[in-house]
Amino acid sequence: TRLELLRLRRRLALAQRGHALLKEKEEQLFIAFRALLAEARVARADVERAFPPFLTATLGFRAGFDSDQWKAFLSASVPLEWKRVPEKVFNIRSFRLERGSVPGPALASVLRPGVRRELDGAVRMLDLLARLVGLEARIKQFVAEIERTRRRVNALDFVLIPAPPSVESAPP
């Protein structure tokens, strides 16, 4: 009927507009995803570059203490506090890890000269690792969103927006 034909035309027009918007979203997701991959590559390179000196300093760290100093250090150690800060990009929820302040005065009394520098190096390494973890988590969420958007685009392509009937299949 005529009403059914009008309803189908409106539905097709809406599906075509939605398809165009989803295709645009998909393109923008790919652009942001490539930028995120580049940022993650840089962060991974930073971690790989900082790790050998960190490992060398860590091996020398324990050797710098006698047993009484080590016990005093462990009793004075205060754990670092981390916060998970939520972020939203393209309506994709992700997070960033932020470190609280490094406890300094409690440790200063038991540290020999140079150990504080090694501790600062360990904290810098933790910061680099936290940044990399946040980026890799965001990459996984972007992949899931890209797949979800691609499925929606394909559903509109192959289900809601029918291909125009060919001339050969039209009845005489």
Side-chain angles (χ1 to χ4, degrees):
T1 65
R2 185 179 171 138
L3 281 171
E4 183 68 20
L5 180 62
L6 289 174
R7 191 178 65 78
L8 286 174
R9 281 186 185 161
R10 280 191 298 251
R11 183 176 176 195
L12 178 62
L14 181 65
Q16 288 170 337
R17 281 195 310 260
H19 179 265
L21 288 173
L22 280 173
K23 286 295 275 185
E24 187 176 326
K25 178 184 177 182
E26 184 181 32
E27 290 171 12
Q28 294 303 316
L29 279 171
F30 274 124
I31 291 169
F33 181 69
R34 284 192 286 275
L36 190 60
L37 282 177
E39 187 179 349
R41 282 189 197 107
V42 169
R44 182 170 294 277
D46 291 345
V47 167
E48 290 172 354
R49 190 174 32 260
F51 190 72
F54 166 72
L55 185 59
T56 303
T58 302
L59 293 175
F61 184 73
R62 174 63 174 98
F65 291 99
D66 62 18
S67 61
D68 292 334
Q69 286 178 325
W70 184 249
K71 288 178 187 173
F73 173 75
L74 290 179
S75 66
S77 294
V78 180
L80 291 175
E81 292 183 16
W82 293 89
K83 283 191 313 187
R84 188 176 165 151
V85 179
E87 291 183 332
K88 225 176 186 182
V89 178
F90 283 103
N91 218 13
I92 301 170
R93 290 185 179 143
S94 64
F95 66 91
R96 181 180 76 251
L97 291 175
E98 283 187 358
R99 175 183 43 82
S101 62
V102 178
L107 295 176
S109 62
V110 297
L111 298 180
R112 66 175 174 76
V115 173
R116 181 63 190 191
R117 179 175 26 94
E118 293 167 2
L119 279 176
D120 290 341
V123 170
R124 278 192 302 275
M125 187 69 193
L126 286 174
D127 288 341
L128 290 173
L129 288 170
R131 178 173 169 243
L132 184 61
V133 165
L135 288 171
E136 288 184 355
R138 197 175 312 154
I139 286 172
K140 288 179 184 178
Q141 292 163 333
F142 260 78
V143 167
E145 184 65 26
I146 288 171
E147 287 175 355
R148 202 171 17 254
T149 303
R150 185 172 288 158
R151 278 195 308 269
R152 289 177 183 154
V153 168
N154 288 339
L156 285 174
D157 271 342
F158 300 112
V159 177
L160 276 179
I161 303 175
S166 64
V167 176
E168 297 89 29
S169 64

